[in-house]
Amino acid sequence: MRPQPGKIGLAATKPMATQRDLALAYSPGVAAPVRAIAADPDSVYDYTSKGNMVAVVSNGTAILGLGNLGAAASKPVMEGKAVLFKRFADLDAFDVEVEYTDPDRFIECVQGFGNSFGGINLEDIKAPECFEIETRLRELLDIPVFHDDQHGTAIIAAAGLINACHLTGRKFEDLKVVLCGAGAAGLSVIELIKSMGVKDENTTVVDIDGVVYRGREGDHGRLASHAIETDKRTLLEAAEGADCLLGLSAAGAFTPEIVSRLAPNPIIFAMANPTPEITPEEVAKVRDDAIMATGRSDYPNQVNNVLGFPYIFRGALDVRARTINEEMKIAAAQALAALAREDVPDEVAEAYGGDRLQYGRDYIIPTPFDPRLIHYIPPNVAEAAVKTGVARKSIEDFEAYRRELERRSNPSASIQQRITASIRKTQKRIVFAEGEEPSVIRAAYAFQNQGLGQAVLIAREDIARANMRAVGLPDDALEICNARLSEHNAEYADFLYEKLQRRGFLRRDVQRRVNNDRNIFSACMLKMGHADGMVTGVTRHSNVVMKDVTLVLEPAEGSRAVGIAAAIGQDRTLLFGDVSISEFPDAEGLAEIAIATAQAAKRLRITPHLAFLSYSSFGNPPGERTEKIQEAVRILDRLDVDFEYEGEMAADIALSPDHHDLYPFSRLTRPANVLVMPAIHSASIALRLLKSAGGATVIGPMLVGLEKPVQIARLGASVTDIVNLAGIAAYDLNTVEA
């Protein structure tokens, strides 16, 4: 059977498994919200999905750069737009293709269905009709109406312009701007940057007939409003001494001569698609001081509307805004500009072939795959809506709102946020053992700069400082500790020799390890109380790291080292143990793993309901491999632990809310959320299946059970992973708060 055509479908948000579900979904239960909405129309946001729904509407009169091909031909583009709304902002968007090209009939049609949605995104409607359509629909409808071809481009271009001015030392009020292309997008860009401070007299608009000057005949009202007193009549003349050249016209519109006439350090945004007015290569032949942006993804600084519309609607709908005003657009542009100046996470580099992006002339606009967009842009848009009085609903705590948005795109955010909130109060001292690695340096700086704790690099000073400079940090950004030169070197060697002298180690062996092995030295720092936790593993396999660390550190009293992992889905979080240390634990080992994993769950504010997993459930089918699991349960019985546990159980039984129907004697009062695996290989298989086929987000392995907090990253871990593990080390999963 062929796959379903198209890009979108419909998924229910509530189950339809029982007669009661059907009654609530339709009749008779649905009558209650019907009456409530009739009495209070605004309550439709409380009882229906309107507040998360956007209609993407077009008549197909200006599809991409292809022209007027009709409403039906626009459907693939509108479906694609709907997919982007869902992917980037978790908004449900529905494409609506309207056959009317007459503005009056189009407006009447959209007015008829518009209030069924939380917002209207107009798309691919030709100018100048699009201006009238948007203006009148904004007046007629009590929801946001946003023509993305106009305002989306304007917002992204304005964000890039903010940073281009920042890099070249310019101010908006002094900026001399020339716009080539007086269509919907071009005029919207000019109008937005004027509202941000660019002066009318410093702005020249050029269309196909030349400079738009005061008194020129035939210009429609919106275009005429941008006419200026000037004797210049051509783009070449207008470009003389201009600071900024904006293009939303056609390929080849900017010639080398035009570029040569611009002021020093010119800002050139050549945004025509698919071929820009001039390419960066062509500009480079004329001058090397230009900052360039295009609409192309294969050049730096792409002006891409997907950076705007999903997040603008997200913020607008979350406060039930009646419109999207200038202040909301400016807030979005300013937030985008600020984000581009932040350090870029590894996920972005991976999405772009490993290139390390850094704020500067070739990176003034964030990239669409930056995971921070969802919690950077909407809060600023929402706050602007509240301040300007167009919001029906206020947000009392914008920091909590940011955390909620982060959880929408990253299911693991709730756990990470809990850890972050706790460790900011304690300010633990965390050792980054591989302190010469650029990724570790960036992670240590991010950890410290975010106020998560104090970072210490174990490294040779000259190499660490050289690498700091290479990643854009000052020499004194982080504390560096050289193991060989440390004032504690002899103390650590004495301690370790006493510990290992009867295990075949000579004094010189121990001294060499303290001097040269950063994991040994870092573990000694923890043991002797000179640091609170450590993170390592980026350059060595975890088993090698574990051998080094356990030469210094012992298991915590009554515990053992255990690797746990969290698999976080949309509706549940599961903790797994052991996933990295004990290959085939015996019964006693399984019991210890259960205790350590349950304790970690409590530390993460998860009430443990623990199941020992197996291929069998309660003795059926029988087998010798299940006997050790049964014995592990009996060990816990004797220990009288303070958490629910049961087993041995098959995975589907453990996770089923109805398993009491078959096994009424089960001690679990709810489906298991802590799973003790019989061996590492089964844990690995289960986690990879959940991640790849089930779409779960996996955190870990997280190491628990040592006397001091140590976290071992995977080989080649990303900066984000290292920071998260440093946070877990500072949080200390071994300690359960009262």
Side-chain angles (χ1 to χ4, degrees):
M1 184 176 179
R2 295 174 60 190
Q4 179 178 326
K7 307 180 186 76
I8 59 175
L10 181 67
T13 62
K14 302 295 184 294
M16 286 293 294
T18 67
Q19 176 63 32
R20 181 174 180 275
D21 295 337
L22 181 60
L24 287 173
Y26 193 56
S27 180
V30 77
V34 167
R35 294 190 186 98
I37 295 167
D40 176 13
D42 272 357
S43 69
V44 68
Y45 288 97
D46 301 314
Y47 292 106
T48 75
S49 57
K50 173 177 177 172
N52 203 58
M53 289 172 59
V54 176
V56 183
V57 186
S58 180
N59 61 6
T61 53
I63 304 173
L64 303 174
L66 304 174
N68 184 354
L69 300 181
S74 73
K75 191 172 182 66
V77 182
M78 300 309 109
E79 281 193 356
K81 198 89 173 187
V83 170
L84 296 178
F85 269 110
K86 189 66 177 178
R87 164 62 178 83
F88 290 107
D90 195 24
L91 284 167
D92 297 317
F94 299 84
D95 64 295
V96 182
E97 290 74 41
V98 176
E99 296 288 344
Y100 304 135
T101 57
D102 175 69
D104 290 332
R105 296 188 72 186
F106 184 93
I107 290 164
E108 183 180 0
C109 176
V110 178
Q111 181 189 4
F113 67 75
N115 280 319
S116 296
F117 297 89
I120 303 289
N121 184 96
L122 299 172
E123 192 79 18
D124 287 0
I125 303 170
K126 71 183 179 72
E129 289 93 331
C130 62
F131 305 138
E132 178 189 359
I133 287 170
E134 185 195 39
T135 300
R136 287 175 56 190
L137 282 174
R138 288 180 65 181
E139 294 169 353
L140 292 167
L141 296 173
D142 201 27
I143 57 173
V145 178
F146 185 84
H147 184 208
D148 186 48
D149 295 325
Q150 295 182 61
H151 309 301
T153 302
I155 289 164
I156 314 310
L161 197 55
I162 290 170
N163 283 337
C165 287
H166 177 263
L167 290 168
T168 58
R170 293 182 170 105
K171 296 181 179 179
F172 265 44
E173 54 264 34
D174 302 323
L175 199 66
K176 295 181 180 179
V177 179
V178 175
L179 167 70
C180 177
L187 293 182
S188 292
V189 172
I190 285 296
E191 288 164 359
L192 184 59
I193 63 174
K194 282 183 177 180
S195 68
M196 295 170 68
V198 175
K199 294 178 180 177
D200 287 341
E201 60 268 27
N202 288 343
T203 304
T204 305
V205 176
V206 182
D207 67 5
I208 195 168
D209 297 317
V211 171
V212 179
Y213 59 89
R214 199 160 291 162
R216 193 177 78 159
E217 295 183 358
D219 293 339
H220 60 78
R222 189 168 177 186
L223 179 58
S225 69
H226 296 289
I228 61 170
E229 289 286 354
T230 180
D231 58 0
K232 296 177 179 180
R233 293 295 182 264
T234 68
L235 178 59
L236 183 63
E237 293 171 351
E240 186 70 46
D243 301 304
C244 176
L245 180 60
L246 303 176
L248 283 152
S249 53
F254 298 166
T255 65
E257 186 179 2
I258 289 171
V259 170
S260 70
R261 293 201 180 189
L262 298 172
N265 293 306
I267 301 164
I268 304 172
F269 285 12
M271 297 175 279
N273 264 326
T275 306
E277 287 83 356
I278 193 168
T279 66
E281 294 92 341
E282 290 169 326
V283 170
K285 291 178 181 178
V286 182
R287 58 196 308 165
D288 60 3
D289 61 343
I291 293 180
M292 275 211 70
T294 71
R296 294 267 295 263
S297 61
D298 52 346
Y299 289 124
N301 301 324
Q302 184 190 18
V303 179
N304 190 330
N305 285 20
V306 78
L307 291 165
F309 68 84
Y311 309 108
I312 293 162
F313 271 97
R314 178 78 273 163
L317 267 61
D318 285 343
V319 292
R320 302 177 185 175
R322 300 179 186 277
T323 188
I324 294 172
N325 57 27
E326 289 299 293
E327 291 84 355
M328 294 161 74
K329 298 172 197 172
I330 292 170
Q334 291 172 336
L336 278 166
L339 180 57
R341 295 194 288 269
E342 299 283 344
D343 188 38
V344 180
D346 283 3
E347 296 94 321
V348 175
E350 291 169 6
Y352 288 85
D355 291 339
R356 173 59 56 196
L357 301 172
Q358 191 171 13
Y359 177 61
R361 289 173 173 265
D362 288 336
Y363 181 66
I364 59 173
I365 302 171
T367 65
F369 289 100
D370 193 317
R372 300 167 297 177
L373 286 162
I374 184 65
H375 56 91
Y376 237 85
I377 314 305
N380 290 275
V381 173
E383 188 171 11
V386 172
K387 286 181 177 178
T388 55
V390 299
R392 292 182 181 87
K393 173 185 172 184
S394 184
I395 292 176
E396 301 300 326
D397 186 344
F398 274 93
E399 190 54 44
Y401 175 50
R402 284 185 176 87
R403 293 194 296 269
E404 178 188 334
L405 289 168
E406 189 174 2
R407 289 193 292 270
R408 276 185 180 271
S409 62
N410 178 11
S412 67
S414 58
I415 289 178
Q416 292 164 353
Q417 289 165 0
R418 189 177 305 135
I419 290 171
T420 297
S422 175
I423 65 177
R424 279 203 171 112
K425 299 174 185 176
T426 58
Q427 289 295 296
K428 298 286 184 66
R429 182 175 165 86
I430 301 301
V431 176
F432 291 76
E434 298 148 307
E436 295 176 2
E437 294 297 309
S439 61
V440 175
I441 291 170
R442 291 178 59 232
Y445 181 75
F447 177 81
Q448 185 166 290
N449 195 47
Q450 292 171 27
L452 303 179
Q454 302 169 29
V456 182
L457 301 178
I458 307 303
R460 290 164 290 185
E461 293 89 345
D462 56 339
I463 296 176
R465 291 199 170 102
N467 285 336
M468 280 187 200
R469 291 191 292 272
V471 299
L473 298 179
D475 285 2
D476 59 353
L478 295 162
E479 179 183 344
I480 302 170
C481 181
N482 186 321
R484 187 182 294 273
L485 303 179
S486 168
E487 61 180 322
H488 298 294
N489 182 285
E491 178 186 358
Y492 295 170
D494 290 343
F495 156 74
L496 196 57
Y497 180 56
E498 184 176 349
K499 180 178 175 66
L500 300 179
Q501 60 189 347
R502 294 183 180 275
R503 292 167 57 181
F505 286 83
L506 299 175
R507 172 74 193 206
R508 62 174 178 266
D509 297 330
V510 170
Q511 185 66 65
R512 187 163 50 248
R513 283 179 175 259
V514 171
N515 288 348
N516 299 324
D517 192 312
R518 295 181 185 121
N519 289 322
I520 293 285
F521 185 85
S522 300
C524 286
M525 287 183 72
L526 268 61
K527 180 70 176 182
M528 306 305 285
H530 299 143
D532 301 302
M534 69 178 274
V535 60
T536 183
V538 178
T539 63
R540 297 185 188 178
H541 288 291
S542 58
N543 62 323
V544 175
V545 174
M546 194 66 186
K547 287 178 182 177
D548 290 341
V549 169
T550 52
L551 284 175
V552 180
L553 300 175
E554 298 291 333
E557 185 177 352
S559 186
R560 70 188 288 150
V562 175
I564 67 172
I568 304 165
Q570 291 298 321
D571 59 350
R572 71 172 85 191
T573 295
L574 300 174
L575 291 188
F576 287 77
D578 178 14
V579 301
S580 62
I581 306 296
S582 302
E583 186 174 4
F584 289 104
D586 58 16
E588 188 176 78
L590 287 170
E592 291 171 347
I593 290 167
I595 293 169
T597 310
Q599 180 170 283
K602 291 178 187 177
R603 180 68 170 131
L604 293 170
R605 301 289 192 274
I606 297 170
T607 301
H609 303 275
L610 184 144
F612 289 91
L613 293 193
S614 175
Y615 64 88
S616 76
S617 296
F618 305 111
N620 186 33
E624 62 180 49
R625 293 192 177 185
T626 65
E627 292 174 1
K628 65 177 182 179
I629 302 175
Q630 295 164 359
E631 177 58 26
V633 173
R634 289 192 287 269
I635 291 171
L636 292 189
D637 291 342
R638 293 194 293 271
L639 293 174
D640 193 26
V641 296
D642 61 350
F643 57 87
E644 285 186 3
Y645 59 92
E646 189 56 280
E648 85 283 14
M649 306 172 73
D652 57 337
I653 299 297
L655 300 177
S656 170
D658 301 319
H659 81 269
H660 278 99
D661 293 345
L662 281 175
Y663 305 103
F665 54 83
S666 171
R667 289 177 282 196
L668 294 184
T669 59
R670 55 180 296 176
N673 57 5
V674 178
L675 307 176
V676 175
M677 309 301 287
I680 283 181
H681 67 270
S682 54
S684 176
I685 291 168
L687 280 172
R688 290 170 189 268
L689 281 172
L690 280 172
K691 184 176 182 179
S692 299
T697 298
V698 174
I699 302 177
M702 299 175 279
L703 184 61
V704 299
L706 290 179
E707 59 179 317
K708 300 286 184 178
V710 177
Q711 294 302 325
I712 302 174
R714 61 181 171 82
L715 201 64
S718 70
V719 170
T720 302
D721 288 342
I722 301 166
V723 174
N724 288 340
L725 285 175
I728 292 166
Y731 191 63
D732 188 3
L733 291 174
N734 296 309
T735 303
V736 180
E737 296 174 347

